[in-house]
């Protein structure tokens, strides 16, 4: 029970003090996702850079959103987890988060994913409530969508250097 209380505190802290909030430029892709079940919304921007080996990294992830504490705290926790990571690492973290959401509150799954998900493991209890899973997953789906768009934009620009710059939704 003490662990569940700590998880609730982490979620409330991310909700009250969101990390990374505010849309910033430059960006290669912008997406807008809505959870039609409850009305949660997020507009998310991705700005890519590259590491020393040339692998694309998430140089910035910025967002504006509105909705329940679960959806908004999930965006904040996701921001902390993926900023500065390679797109591959960020998407792998998203896969781990999906596994957590499918675990139906199984503490063994949460424990296994604790290192890879950091604060985002606090959403383990959400997986017990099917109606709330979409709230927690919305930002992760937006990140996956924006990352794919940003990668296709940067690939198109590399292939066709005269193509217009990104920033178009």
């Amino acid at each position: 029970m003490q662990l569940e209380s700590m998880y609730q505190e982490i979620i409330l802290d991310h909700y009250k003090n969101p990390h990374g909030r505010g849309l910033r430029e430059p960006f290669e892709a912008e997406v807008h996702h809505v959870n039609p079940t409850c009305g949660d919304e997020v507009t998310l921007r991705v700005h890519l850079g590259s590491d020393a080996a040339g692998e694309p990294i998430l140089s910035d992830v910025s967002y504006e959103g509105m909705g329940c504490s679960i959806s908004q705290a999930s965006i904040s926790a996701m921001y902390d987890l993926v900023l500065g990571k390679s797109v591959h690492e960020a998407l792998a973290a998203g896969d781990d988060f999906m596994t957590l959401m499918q675990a139906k509150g199984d503490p063994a799954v949460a424990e296994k994913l604790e290192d890879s998900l950091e604060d985002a493991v606090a959403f383990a209890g959400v997986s017990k409530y099917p109606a709330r899973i979409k709230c927690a997953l919305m930002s992760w789906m937006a990140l996956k969508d924006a990352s794919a768009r940003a990668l296709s934009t940067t690939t198109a620009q590399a292939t066709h250097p005269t193509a217009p710059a990104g920033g178009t939704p």
Side-chain angles (χ1 to χ4, degrees):
M1 197 58 151
Q2 188 175 4
L3 184 61
E4 192 170 311
S5 176
M6 182 184 76
Y7 283 171
Q8 288 173 350
E9 286 179 34
I10 290 170
I11 291 171
L12 280 175
D13 183 52
H14 274 283
Y15 176 66
K16 291 178 181 176
N17 306 296
H19 304 174
R21 188 177 195 93
L23 294 173
R24 293 180 290 281
E25 294 188 15
F27 61 96
E28 283 71 40
E30 176 180 291
V31 298
H32 182 78
H33 281 222
V34 177
N35 179 349
T37 308
C38 62
D40 294 341
E41 295 185 34
V42 64
T43 299
L44 186 131
R45 290 179 177 173
V46 168
H47 176 54
L48 298 180
S50 57
D51 64 13
E55 185 174 359
I57 61 167
L58 294 171
S59 295
D60 193 22
V61 176
S62 62
Y63 66 92
E64 281 295 335
M66 58 182 244
C68 70
S69 59
I70 298 294
S71 72
Q72 299 308 294
S74 181
I75 300 167
S76 176
M78 180 195 72
Y79 168 84
D80 286 350
L81 190 59
V82 304
L83 186 66
K85 298 275 175 69
S86 73
V87 172
H88 175 75
E89 291 169 320
L91 295 178
D95 290 344
D96 285 350
F97 193 80
M98 177 66 84
T99 298
L100 184 72
M101 290 297 102
Q102 294 170 338
K104 299 180 180 174
D106 183 346
V109 173
E111 187 176 324
K112 178 182 172 194
L113 296 172
E114 193 169 13
D115 289 338
S116 69
L117 290 178
E118 299 174 10
D119 275 2
V121 78
F123 294 86
V126 172
S127 70
K128 295 178 195 175
Y129 307 98
R132 303 310 302 267
I133 291 172
K134 284 184 181 179
C135 301
L137 283 174
M138 182 180 64
S139 59
W140 291 92
M141 296 300 104
L143 178 69
K144 188 174 186 177
D145 185 9
S147 295
R149 290 182 189 200
L151 288 171
S152 69
T153 298
T154 56
T155 302
Q157 287 175 352
T159 307
H160 305 288
T162 58
T168 306

